[in-house]
Amino acid sequence: MRALVICQDKSTVRRRSKRRGGIGDRAVDHANARTAKLELRAEPRERDGWIAAATREGYLSLSDWCRDRLNSAARTGVHTSSARQTWNTPQVVIDVILRHLGPISLDPCSNASSIVPARVAWELERDGDSLARPWFPRGRIYVNPPYKRDLPRWITKIGEAYAARRGALEIVALVPARTDARWWHLAHELGALCGYWRGRLRFLGARTSAPFPSALLYWGERPDRFRRIREIRVERAPDPISRGIAA
């Protein structure tokens, strides 16, 4: 495991320590220095992912990319998509779905603070694993899954549910627009139509906009209606590449 040492503005590190309850022994605050050193340790595969992301965003230095990401997180008070599980759907997304596609029959990813007006809502903490349950055979399902490593399982479940009831079922998923992820390309292999949300969403309860772009994935027999949504830019994802796709 290799270490990456980043010089970060000391006031930012202190704000993170106060807001997050401290960042442990990964940060060293030098009282007499104008900057603080932050040491990040990563497995080779994770580090390669950081390098790929920094390159895509035009950075020449991995340290600069990491520092900017940390400073952004400190300013916004929110984590990146992989560091936080629950991003509750904002009203603007609900309005778009209801206006263009119609009422929601099932929300299998609900929680106590969700405002999604589904006819049936399964709360993950209360009702258990929605991936292990049979989904509705018809109607409209809205999925805003936990944004961690289970995303591939959710995409697989959606694809299987739609394939089993094609023509009777319509599924919309709100996900981070991670075009470098294997699950993203899996979604398109399973027939998803992608709509990139214009601008950054402010998720329900968040103080600021999310630090990542979002997208709506659509499985259904009414792609023309989906394409009419003005808040998104619809296109199919590029073909998967053989290398450089993150997990």
Side-chain angles (χ1 to χ4, degrees):
M1 183 178 292
R2 300 176 62 183
L4 175 67
V5 178
I6 303 170
C7 290
Q8 189 182 22
D9 179 74
K10 188 168 64 177
S11 62
T12 299
V13 174
R14 283 175 173 168
R15 285 199 302 273
R16 281 177 55 82
S17 297
K18 182 178 180 181
R19 186 173 293 165
R20 302 291 174 206
I23 49 179
D25 58 2
R26 293 190 178 189
V28 180
D29 192 353
H30 299 274
N32 298 321
R34 298 175 62 184
T35 60
K37 289 184 178 180
L38 184 70
E39 183 176 297
L40 302 178
R41 296 184 180 275
E43 297 292 343
R45 181 178 178 182
E46 186 177 16
R47 183 184 175 89
D48 290 344
W50 294 353
I51 294 173
T55 302
R56 285 195 305 273
E57 295 176 25
Y59 284 83
L60 298 179
S61 165
L62 179 58
S63 295
D64 288 345
W65 178 83
C66 290
R67 183 176 59 246
D68 286 352
R69 292 288 291 266
L70 291 170
N71 286 337
S72 176
R75 288 194 301 269
T76 60
V78 293
H79 292 299
T80 60
S81 61
S82 60
R84 172 175 163 181
Q85 279 261 35
T86 302
W87 296 87
N88 281 337
T89 304
Q91 187 65 50
V92 62
V93 174
I94 296 171
D95 291 342
V96 162
I97 294 173
L98 297 179
R99 183 170 65 250
H100 291 275
L101 299 175
I104 299 170
S105 305
L106 172 66
D107 177 3
C109 303
S110 188
N111 59 61
S113 57
S114 173
I115 61 171
V116 175
R119 183 166 60 87
V120 175
W122 295 340
E123 293 186 17
L124 295 177
E125 294 183 359
R126 181 194 66 192
D127 301 320
D129 186 5
S130 298
L131 293 170
R133 305 174 64 176
W135 288 6
F136 286 11
R138 62 182 66 251
R140 188 167 302 103
I141 299 176
Y142 172 71
V143 184
N144 179 13
Y147 289 0
K148 290 193 83 171
R149 294 197 179 275
D150 276 346
L151 261 172
R153 294 179 61 210
W154 283 99
I155 295 300
T156 300
K157 177 70 173 183
I158 292 171
E160 292 174 349
Y162 177 66
R165 300 295 297 178
R166 185 184 297 269
L169 196 61
E170 195 168 48
I171 304 176
V172 181
L174 175 63
V175 297
R178 289 196 57 194
T179 59
D180 61 334
R182 288 190 178 94
W183 62 259
W184 177 269
H185 293 278
L186 173 63
H188 289 81
E189 292 169 6
L190 294 174
L193 189 63
C194 171
Y196 296 94
W197 194 269
R198 299 181 187 276
R200 298 290 175 94
L201 285 173
R202 178 182 288 189
F203 286 83
L204 187 67
R207 293 191 296 272
T208 60
S209 299
F212 54 87
S214 299
L216 291 177
L217 300 180
Y218 174 81
W219 287 260
E221 303 302 309
R222 301 187 298 166
D224 290 342
R225 292 185 67 88
F226 184 71
R227 288 190 176 95
R228 293 193 194 114
I229 300 176
R230 295 180 179 178
E231 289 82 357
I232 60 176
R233 177 172 54 85
V234 179
E235 63 181 44
R236 287 195 175 275
D239 292 334
I241 55 178
S242 58
R243 296 182 181 178
I245 300 177

CSV table of all heavy atoms in Angstrom, one decimal, residues 113-135:
chain,number,residue,atom,x,y,z
A,113,SER,N,-37.0,9.1,5.8
A,113,SER,CA,-37.0,10.5,5.4
A,113,SER,C,-37.3,10.7,3.9
A,113,SER,O,-37.3,11.9,3.4
A,113,SER,CB,-35.7,11.2,5.8
A,113,SER,OG,-34.6,10.5,5.1
A,114,SER,N,-37.6,9.7,3.2
A,114,SER,CA,-37.9,9.8,1.7
A,114,SER,C,-39.2,10.5,1.5
A,114,SER,O,-40.2,10.3,2.3
A,114,SER,CB,-37.9,8.4,1.1
A,114,SER,OG,-38.3,8.5,-0.3
A,115,ILE,N,-39.3,11.3,0.4
A,115,ILE,CA,-40.5,11.9,0.0
A,115,ILE,C,-41.1,11.4,-1.3
A,115,ILE,O,-42.0,12.0,-1.9
A,115,ILE,CB,-40.3,13.5,-0.1
A,115,ILE,CG1,-39.3,13.8,-1.2
A,115,ILE,CG2,-40.0,14.1,1.2
A,115,ILE,CD1,-39.2,15.3,-1.5
A,116,VAL,N,-40.5,10.3,-1.8
A,116,VAL,CA,-41.0,9.7,-3.0
A,116,VAL,C,-42.4,9.2,-2.8
A,116,VAL,O,-42.7,8.3,-1.9
A,116,VAL,CB,-40.1,8.5,-3.5
A,116,VAL,CG1,-40.7,7.8,-4.7
A,116,VAL,CG2,-38.7,9.0,-3.7
A,117,PRO,N,-43.4,9.6,-3.6
A,117,PRO,CA,-44.8,9.3,-3.4
A,117,PRO,C,-45.2,7.9,-4.0
A,117,PRO,O,-46.1,7.9,-4.8
A,117,PRO,CB,-45.6,10.4,-4.0
A,117,PRO,CG,-44.7,10.8,-5.2
A,117,PRO,CD,-43.3,10.6,-4.7
A,118,ALA,N,-44.5,6.9,-3.7
A,118,ALA,CA,-44.8,5.6,-4.3
A,118,ALA,C,-46.0,4.9,-3.6
A,118,ALA,O,-46.2,5.1,-2.4
A,118,ALA,CB,-43.6,4.6,-4.2
A,119,ARG,N,-46.8,4.2,-4.4
A,119,ARG,CA,-47.9,3.5,-3.8
A,119,ARG,C,-47.5,2.5,-2.7
A,119,ARG,O,-48.1,2.3,-1.7
A,119,ARG,CB,-48.7,2.8,-4.9
A,119,ARG,CG,-49.9,2.0,-4.4
A,119,ARG,CD,-50.8,1.7,-5.6
A,119,ARG,NE,-50.2,0.8,-6.5
A,119,ARG,CZ,-50.2,-0.6,-6.4
A,119,ARG,NH1,-50.8,-1.1,-5.4
A,119,ARG,NH2,-49.6,-1.3,-7.3
A,120,VAL,N,-46.3,1.8,-3.0
A,120,VAL,CA,-45.7,0.9,-2.0
A,120,VAL,C,-44.2,1.3,-1.9
A,120,VAL,O,-43.5,1.4,-2.9
A,120,VAL,CB,-45.8,-0.6,-2.5
A,120,VAL,CG1,-45.1,-1.5,-1.5
A,120,VAL,CG2,-47.3,-1.0,-2.6
A,121,ALA,N,-43.8,1.5,-0.7
A,121,ALA,CA,-42.4,1.9,-0.4
A,121,ALA,C,-41.8,0.8,0.6
A,121,ALA,O,-42.3,0.6,1.6
A,121,ALA,CB,-42.3,3.3,0.2
A,122,TRP,N,-40.7,0.2,0.2
A,122,TRP,CA,-40.0,-0.7,1.0
A,122,TRP,C,-38.8,0.1,1.6
A,122,TRP,O,-37.9,0.5,0.9
A,122,TRP,CB,-39.4,-1.9,0.2
A,122,TRP,CG,-40.5,-2.7,-0.3
A,122,TRP,CD1,-41.8,-2.8,0.1
A,122,TRP,CD2,-40.4,-3.7,-1.4
A,122,TRP,NE1,-42.5,-3.7,-0.7
A,122,TRP,CE2,-41.7,-4.3,-1.6
A,122,TRP,CE3,-39.4,-4.1,-2.2
A,122,TRP,CZ2,-41.9,-5.2,-2.6
A,122,TRP,CZ3,-39.6,-5.0,-3.2
A,122,TRP,CH2,-40.9,-5.6,-3.4
A,123,GLU,N,-38.8,0.2,2.9
A,123,GLU,CA,-37.7,0.9,3.6
A,123,GLU,C,-36.6,-0.2,3.9
A,123,GLU,O,-36.9,-1.2,4.5
A,123,GLU,CB,-38.1,1.5,4.9
A,123,GLU,CG,-39.1,2.7,4.7
A,123,GLU,CD,-39.4,3.4,6.0
A,123,GLU,OE1,-38.6,3.2,7.0
A,123,GLU,OE2,-40.4,4.1,6.1
A,124,LEU,N,-35.4,0.1,3.4
A,124,LEU,CA,-34.3,-0.8,3.5
A,124,LEU,C,-34.0,-1.2,5.0
A,124,LEU,O,-33.8,-2.4,5.3
A,124,LEU,CB,-33.1,-0.3,2.9
A,124,LEU,CG,-33.2,0.0,1.3
A,124,LEU,CD1,-31.9,0.6,0.8
A,124,LEU,CD2,-33.5,-1.3,0.6
A,125,GLU,N,-34.0,-0.3,5.9
A,125,GLU,CA,-33.7,-0.6,7.3
A,125,GLU,C,-34.8,-1.3,8.0
A,125,GLU,O,-34.6,-2.1,8.8
A,125,GLU,CB,-33.3,0.7,8.0
A,125,GLU,CG,-32.1,1.3,7.5
A,125,GLU,CD,-31.7,2.6,8.4
A,125,GLU,OE1,-32.5,2.9,9.3
A,125,GLU,OE2,-30.7,3.2,8.1
A,126,ARG,N,-36.1,-1.0,7.6
A,126,ARG,CA,-37.2,-1.6,8.2
A,126,ARG,C,-37.7,-2.9,7.6
A,126,ARG,O,-38.0,-3.9,8.3
A,126,ARG,CB,-38.4,-0.6,8.2
A,126,ARG,CG,-39.7,-1.1,8.8
A,126,ARG,CD,-40.9,-0.2,8.5
A,126,ARG,NE,-41.2,-0.3,7.0
A,126,ARG,CZ,-42.0,0.5,6.4
A,126,ARG,NH1,-42.6,1.5,7.0
A,126,ARG,NH2,-42.2,0.3,5.1
A,127,ASP,N,-37.6,-3.0,6.2
A,127,ASP,CA,-38.2,-4.1,5.5
A,127,ASP,C,-37.2,-5.1,5.0
A,127,ASP,O,-37.5,-6.1,4.4
A,127,ASP,CB,-39.1,-3.6,4.3
A,127,ASP,CG,-40.2,-2.7,4.8
A,127,ASP,OD1,-40.8,-3.0,5.9
A,127,ASP,OD2,-40.4,-1.7,4.2
A,128,GLY,N,-35.9,-4.8,5.2
A,128,GLY,CA,-34.9,-5.8,4.7
A,128,GLY,C,-34.4,-5.5,3.3
A,128,GLY,O,-34.7,-4.5,2.7
A,129,ASP,N,-33.7,-6.5,2.8
A,129,ASP,CA,-33.0,-6.4,1.5
A,129,ASP,C,-34.0,-6.5,0.4
A,129,ASP,O,-34.6,-7.6,0.1
A,129,ASP,CB,-32.0,-7.6,1.4
A,129,ASP,CG,-31.1,-7.5,0.2
A,129,ASP,OD1,-31.3,-6.5,-0.6
A,129,ASP,OD2,-30.3,-8.4,-0.1
A,130,SER,N,-34.2,-5.4,-0.3
A,130,SER,CA,-35.1,-5.4,-1.5
A,130,SER,C,-34.6,-6.2,-2.6
A,130,SER,O,-35.4,-6.7,-3.5
A,130,SER,CB,-35.4,-4.0,-1.9
A,130,SER,OG,-36.0,-3.2,-0.9
A,131,LEU,N,-33.3,-6.5,-2.7
A,131,LEU,CA,-32.7,-7.3,-3.8
A,131,LEU,C,-33.2,-8.7,-3.7
A,131,LEU,O,-33.1,-9.4,-4.7
A,131,LEU,CB,-31.2,-7.2,-3.7
A,131,LEU,CG,-30.6,-5.8,-4.0
A,131,LEU,CD1,-29.1,-5.8,-3.7
A,131,LEU,CD2,-30.9,-5.4,-5.5
A,132,ALA,N,-33.5,-9.2,-2.5
A,132,ALA,CA,-33.9,-10.6,-2.3
A,132,ALA,C,-35.4,-10.8,-2.5
A,132,ALA,O,-35.8,-12.0,-2.4
A,132,ALA,CB,-33.4,-11.1,-0.9
A,133,ARG,N,-36.1,-9.8,-2.7
A,133,ARG,CA,-37.6,-9.9,-2.8
A,133,ARG,C,-38.0,-9.8,-4.3
A,133,ARG,O,-37.4,-9.1,-5.1
A,133,ARG,CB,-38.3,-8.8,-2.0
A,133,ARG,CG,-37.9,-8.8,-0.6
A,133,ARG,CD,-38.5,-7.6,0.1
A,133,ARG,NE,-39.9,-7.6,0.2
A,133,ARG,CZ,-40.6,-6.7,0.9
A,133,ARG,NH1,-40.0,-5.7,1.5
A,133,ARG,NH2,-41.9,-6.8,0.9
A,134,PRO,N,-39.1,-10.5,-4.7
A,134,PRO,CA,-39.6,-10.3,-6.0
A,134,PRO,C,-40.3,-8.9,-6.2
A,134,PRO,O,-41.1,-8.5,-5.3
A,134,PRO,CB,-40.7,-11.4,-6.2
A,134,PRO,CG,-41.1,-11.7,-4.8
A,134,PRO,CD,-39.9,-11.5,-3.9
A,135,TRP,N,-40.0,-8.2,-7.3
A,135,TRP,CA,-40.5,-6.9,-7.5
A,135,TRP,C,-41.8,-7.0,-8.2
A,135,TRP,O,-42.2,-8.0,-8.7
A,135,TRP,CB,-39.5,-6.0,-8.3
A,135,TRP,CG,-38.3,-5.6,-7.5
A,135,TRP,CD1,-38.0,-6.0,-6.2
A,135,TRP,CD2,-37.3,-4.7,-7.9
A,135,TRP,NE1,-36.8,-5.4,-5.8
A,135,TRP,CE2,-36.4,-4.6,-6.9
A,135,TRP,CE3,-37.0,-4.0,-9.1
A,135,TRP,CZ2,-35.2,-3.8,-6.9
A,135,TRP,CZ3,-35.9,-3.2,-9.2
A,135,TRP,CH2,-35.0,-3.2,-8.1
